[in-house]
């Protein structure tokens, strides 16, 4: 078994930062040592198989992205990253675990869809992966399937209040699924937008001739995110089930979450870098059809309305529990361009799995969040929330040796076309300059990225059978 010794770096956890050395034995962390306290450190430096000098750099747990959609069939096409290309890109960016979504559509059996997703991912992934289950058809059989899922390590379930006729659940179905999740101790995730009202606004917008990508945003106003979030919280309260609201973009929706948390309800918020940096005016409103690059739901919000500052604030207060990417990439050519002349035909989604750790570190550079908060929302909290802690999300003895060495004096330019590794013909963050750099990435003890070289392979990543969440408020 390979013994790896990382010395000289500052180990950052969700609770503090300290100069510490890390010993890895095979796939797991064997010890975390105070440098200079024993002769052991110099012995290890002399005898370990691999020695990494992390002086001047941060040593952090590998990123955990709890919301991705690799090769998701959606909007008449399929997300452009496969499990192979998407997890490789994630590794480049310092993410060592993803949780993707198996999808049950109306008429399908939950367990069949999970088998399908296993077949898509098995032997393909560069990093470890788990699944949530989208329940797109709440009925007696799928409610039974939820119990079976939990015993197979799929312990969280996503429902949609948006996309009528595709994944949509009505309030009665939501209530039933929440009751079931509550009984099982499982986590219910919600896409909270009032899809019935949105579909009317979309139809009216197209009929008026407002067909450009910008109008995707104006057809999904924040009031319909706030309303759905409030409704989901109330339904969860009636059932006693914990609730995790995904990809929150409106400050008013987060206010609902913060209020519920304030009264002690188990409600959690997730946001994504696109909502922290990009806007309705600058991106969705870009000239011509350019804005299609940023068509996603919930939509980018108006910068003028001040959502971004509030989202950062809710990260600091803890009402945003985790930052995910909702990675759902589509190329402009042949995919996004299906919606030229009609924004409702643009497949919804933004790719970013490669950039989350950097974009959130920029929040540290900009003084928005602390180093520890960076690690908390990108690594530790998602691992806890989704039943993978302390195996993932922390550098401590017994944990999987998923480690990132991050250089705060480095630099990352998210540039044109091919500086990224995601299977996309553009980058949603083109032109962004990040004041830091992912230097080295280890996945279960193995160096998979080092100094600008990819050393991993498809099939290294394993399926994680997740436990029930440790999600108490
Ligand atoms: O636009 C998005 N978010 N696409 C992916 C599917 C979803 O709703 O999460
Ligand atoms: Zn969603
Ligand atoms: Zn999503």
């Amino acid at each position: 078994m390979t013994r790896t010794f990382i010395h000289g770096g500052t180990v950052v956890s969700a609770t503090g930062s300290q100069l510490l050395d890390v010993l890895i034995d095979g796939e797991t962390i064997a010890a975390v040592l105070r440098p200079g306290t024993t002769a052991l450190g110099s012995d290890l430096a002399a005898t370990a198989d691999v020695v990494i000098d992390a002086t001047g750099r941060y040593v952090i747990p590998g990123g955990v992205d709890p919301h991705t959609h690799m090769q998701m069939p959606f909007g008449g096409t399929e997300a452009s990253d496969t499990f192979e290309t998407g997890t490789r890109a994630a590794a480049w960016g310092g993410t060592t675990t993803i949780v993707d979504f198996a999808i049950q559509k109306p008429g399908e059996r939950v367990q069949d869809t999970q088998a399908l997703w296993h077949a898509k991912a098995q032997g393909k992934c560069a990093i470890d992966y788990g699944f949530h289950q989208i329940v797109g058809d709440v009925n007696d059989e799928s409610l039974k399937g939820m119990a079976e899922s939990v015993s197979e390590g799929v312990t969280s379930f996503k429902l949609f209040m948006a996309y009528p006729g595709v994944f949509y659940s009505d309030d009665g179905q939501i209530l039933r699924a929440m009751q079931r999740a509550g009984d099982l101790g499982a986590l219910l995730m919600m896409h909270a937008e009032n899809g019935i009202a949105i579909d009317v606004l979309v139809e009216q917008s197209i009929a008026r001739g407002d067909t450009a990508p910008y109008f995707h945003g104006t057809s999904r106003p924040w009031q319909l995110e706030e309303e759905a979030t409030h409704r989901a919280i109330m339904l969860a309260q009636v059932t006693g089930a914990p609730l995790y609201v995904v990809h929150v973009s409106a400050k008013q929706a987060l206010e609902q979450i913060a209020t519920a948390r304030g009264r002690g309800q188990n409600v959690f918020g997730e946001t994504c870098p696109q909502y922290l940096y990009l806007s309705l005016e600058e991106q969705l409103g870009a000239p011509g059809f350019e804005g299609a690059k940023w068509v996603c739901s919930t939509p980018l919000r108006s910068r003028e309305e001040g959502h971004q500052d509030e989202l950062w604030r809710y990260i600091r207060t803890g009402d945003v529990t985790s930052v995910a990417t909702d990675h759902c990439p589509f190329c402009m050519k042949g995919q996004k361009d299906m919606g030229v002349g009609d924004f409702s035909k643009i497949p919804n989604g933004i790719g970013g799995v490669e950039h989350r750790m950097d974009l959130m570190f920029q929040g540290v550079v900009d003084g928005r969040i602390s180093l520890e908060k960076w690690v908390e929302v990108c690594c530790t909290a998602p691992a806890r929330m989704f039943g993978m802690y302390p195996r993932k999300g922390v550098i401590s003895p017994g944990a999987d040796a998923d480690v990132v060495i991050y250089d705060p004096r480095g630099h990352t330019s998210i540039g044109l076309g091919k500086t990224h590794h995601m299977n996309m013909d553009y980058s949603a963050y083109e032109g962004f300059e990040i004041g830091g750099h992912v230097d080295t990435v280890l996945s279960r003890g193995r160096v998979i990225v080092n100094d600008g070289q990819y050393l991993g392979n498809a099939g290294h990543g394993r399926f994680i059978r997740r436990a029930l969440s440790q999600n108490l408020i």
Side-chain angles (χ1 to χ4, degrees):
M1 272 211 291
T2 306
R3 285 186 354 138
T4 303
F5 186 55
I6 304 171
H7 66 94
T10 300
V11 173
V12 184
S13 76
T15 52
S17 307
Q18 237 184 317
L19 278 174
L20 291 169
D21 296 339
V22 180
L23 177 65
I24 296 167
D25 200 3
E27 298 199 342
T28 52
I29 305 218
V32 182
L33 312 156
R34 291 245 299 278
T37 47
T38 65
L40 189 59
S42 41
D43 285 356
L44 286 168
T47 59
D49 305 296
V50 178
V51 176
I52 300 173
D53 181 357
T55 304
R57 297 182 289 170
Y58 297 130
V59 180
I60 62 167
V64 178
D65 188 339
H67 188 156
T68 67
H69 300 281
M70 304 304 171
Q71 57 200 89
M72 176 188 189
F74 195 39
T77 181
E78 190 166 274
S80 57
D81 262 319
T82 61
F83 278 91
E84 182 167 351
T85 62
T87 57
R88 190 167 58 215
W92 273 104
T95 286
T96 54
T97 307
I98 59 162
V99 191
D100 208 271
F101 291 82
I103 302 175
Q104 180 223 18
K105 293 204 288 294
E108 295 177 341
R109 281 189 66 246
V110 164
Q111 263 58 45
D112 293 345
T113 66
Q114 257 166 51
L116 187 61
W117 255 259
H118 277 294
K120 289 185 199 207
Q122 202 170 11
K124 300 290 195 309
C125 294
I127 54 168
D128 290 349
Y129 62 98
F131 293 137
H132 312 285
Q133 178 70 48
I134 287 175
V135 185
D137 187 2
V138 177
N139 57 41
D140 290 344
E141 203 191 336
S142 49
L143 291 172
K144 276 195 211 122
M146 286 171 68
E148 214 174 305
S149 298
V150 168
S151 66
E152 287 159 3
V154 177
T155 55
S156 39
F157 302 91
K158 184 180 178 191
L159 300 185
F160 289 79
M161 300 166 101
Y163 310 136
V166 187
F167 302 128
Y168 176 82
S169 292
D170 66 28
D171 290 352
Q173 290 174 310
I174 291 170
L175 194 86
R176 291 186 77 200
M178 282 179 169
Q179 286 169 333
R180 187 73 173 148
D183 289 347
L184 293 167
L187 188 60
L188 207 296
M189 306 166 78
M190 186 62 78
H191 178 136
E193 284 187 295
N194 184 329
I196 300 284
I198 284 168
D199 273 9
V200 173
L201 294 180
V202 168
E203 207 182 301
Q204 291 172 345
S205 184
I206 301 290
R208 269 198 312 273
D210 291 339
T211 59
Y214 176 81
F215 298 103
H216 168 79
T218 55
S219 306
R220 308 179 89 90
W222 59 261
Q223 289 89 343
L224 299 184
E225 185 183 349
E226 180 184 9
E227 182 278 326
T229 304
H230 177 74
R231 188 158 30 103
I233 289 169
M234 290 296 108
L235 292 169
Q237 196 179 38
V238 168
T239 64
L243 173 70
Y244 177 95
V245 185
V246 296
H247 51 51
V248 180
S249 65
K251 62 181 179 183
Q252 295 85 353
L254 266 167
E255 199 182 323
Q256 294 293 334
I257 291 168
T259 303
R261 288 171 62 80
R263 63 171 176 261
Q265 196 179 338
N266 265 316
V267 177
F268 307 90
E270 171 196 276
T271 194
C272 312
Q274 52 267 38
Y275 306 122
L276 296 165
Y277 288 104
L278 309 176
S279 73
L280 171 73
E281 295 89 352
E282 289 143 297
Q283 276 76 33
L284 268 177
F289 189 65
E290 275 299 289
K293 292 176 175 173
W294 297 280
V295 164
C296 63
S297 300
T298 59
L300 303 184
R301 297 290 172 199
S302 164
R303 193 179 287 278
E304 285 155 24
E305 288 170 1
H307 298 275
Q308 292 180 359
D309 284 347
E310 282 297 279
L311 261 54
W312 282 108
R313 187 174 72 75
Y314 282 120
I315 291 176
R316 291 192 293 276
T317 62
D319 293 305
V320 168
T321 302
S322 47
V323 176
T325 57
D326 191 11
H327 179 76
C328 190
F330 297 101
C331 291
M332 278 295 268
K333 197 165 166 350
Q335 296 194 294
K336 291 280 188 182
D337 61 9
M338 287 158 52
V340 174
D342 181 350
F343 69 81
S344 70
K345 298 199 165 57
I346 301 170
N348 282 210
I350 287 187
V353 75
E354 188 168 347
H355 301 312
R356 183 184 63 129
M357 298 301 288
D358 282 327
L359 288 164
M360 294 312 293
F361 184 73
Q362 189 58 39
V364 178
V365 174
D366 295 342
R368 299 260 198 189
I369 53 171
S370 67
L371 261 182
E372 291 76 16
K373 192 51 116 173
W374 173 49
V375 168
E376 179 189 323
V377 294
C378 291
C379 314
T380 317
R384 282 188 74 228
M385 181 65 37
F386 293 104
M388 295 181 282
Y389 185 91
R391 183 172 165 194
K392 303 289 186 191
V394 67
I395 296 181
S396 75
D400 281 357
D402 294 349
V403 178
V404 173
I405 299 176
Y406 197 88
D407 185 357
R409 286 168 310 183
H411 190 87
T412 305
S413 296
I414 305 180
L416 279 168
K418 272 312 174 193
T419 58
H420 66 79
H421 304 86
M422 299 172 289
N423 187 30
M424 298 170 70
D425 58 4
Y426 73 96
S427 165
Y429 300 97
E430 216 144 86
F432 272 59
E433 300 290 338
I434 308 292
H437 189 259
V438 172
D439 281 355
T440 306
V441 180
L442 290 91
S443 164
R444 278 185 282 102
R446 177 164 160 205
V447 176
I448 57 169
V449 173
N450 192 37
D451 242 351
Q453 261 195 301
Y454 178 69
L455 305 166
N457 68 282
H460 167 79
R462 288 194 200 130
F463 175 67
I464 309 280
R465 294 172 73 89
R466 295 182 295 112
L468 292 167
S469 314
Q470 299 156 23
N471 57 18
L472 288 180
I473 203 157

